[in-house]
Amino acid sequence: MKKTVALIIFCILSINTFAFASSQIFHDEALNFYNEGKIDEAVFLFEKSVVFNPKNIESFIHLGYINKDLENLDKANHYFIIALSLQPDNLELNYFVGEYFHNINDNDSYDKYVSNLEILCPKGCEYLDQIKKLETK
């Protein structure tokens, strides 16, 4: 019985290790494609990366960047929000999501991200300055 339990635990750990390693391999390959300007290939591999590791923040961020560059702003915001849920203290993500809500005139949501940046940057920072400049436009 103990051998069976040990074997099951070993199998589970092996599968998790394989999944996380695969996720990193897909992320690294996607990054190479992204840097070469092969966007479709990069998107495919970044998406594959987050399937194997749904907590791969960097892959979600890159999917957001790509979609922002392609002006798929709803989709970019979707990926940025996922990444932000995994790393809520990320200044850049708070800025991007706040900017998105400002641009669609969702002032309540925009104010939430301004508040987040005020908490994260009590002495001020570039992202806080940038997001507050949006109010004057």
Side-chain angles (χ1 to χ4, degrees):
M1 182 65 152
K2 288 182 181 180
K3 288 182 181 180
T4 304
V5 172
L7 181 60
I8 291 171
I9 291 171
F10 175 77
C11 289
I12 291 171
L13 293 175
S14 296
I15 291 169
N16 284 339
T17 302
F18 172 76
F20 289 121
S22 296
S23 173
Q24 192 59 47
I25 290 169
F26 292 135
H27 174 82
D28 293 345
E29 287 181 35
L31 201 53
N32 288 335
F33 280 126
Y34 178 74
N35 291 331
E36 293 171 5
K38 297 177 180 177
I39 301 304
D40 291 338
E41 293 88 343
V43 167
F44 176 75
L45 289 173
F46 282 131
E47 288 175 343
K48 210 168 180 179
S49 171
V50 298
V51 166
F52 281 92
N53 179 5
K55 294 183 179 180
N56 189 325
I57 296 166
E58 293 301 318
S59 288
F60 282 118
I61 291 172
H62 278 93
L63 286 165
Y65 288 151
I66 289 169
N67 282 284
K68 189 173 186 196
D69 290 344
L70 296 173
E71 296 185 14
N72 298 330
L73 301 182
D74 292 337
K75 199 168 188 178
N77 193 57
H78 169 77
Y79 287 122
F80 289 144
I81 286 176
I82 293 171
L84 191 58
S85 72
L86 298 169
Q87 191 178 38
D89 61 344
N90 185 303
L91 301 176
E92 182 179 43
L93 292 173
N94 274 281
Y95 171 77
F96 283 151
V97 174
E99 176 188 44
Y100 170 82
F101 285 120
H102 176 270
N103 291 338
I104 65 166
N105 297 315
D106 182 343
N107 293 328
D108 291 338
S109 296
Y110 166 75
D111 290 341
K112 174 184 170 187
Y113 292 96
V114 171
S115 294
N116 286 355
L117 285 169
E118 288 173 338
I119 292 167
L120 294 169
C121 304
K123 296 180 181 179
C125 65
E126 178 184 344
Y127 290 110
L128 180 58
D129 295 341
Q130 286 180 359
I131 205 165
K132 285 186 172 185
K133 284 180 186 175
L134 296 174
E135 295 173 15
T136 61
K137 289 183 180 180

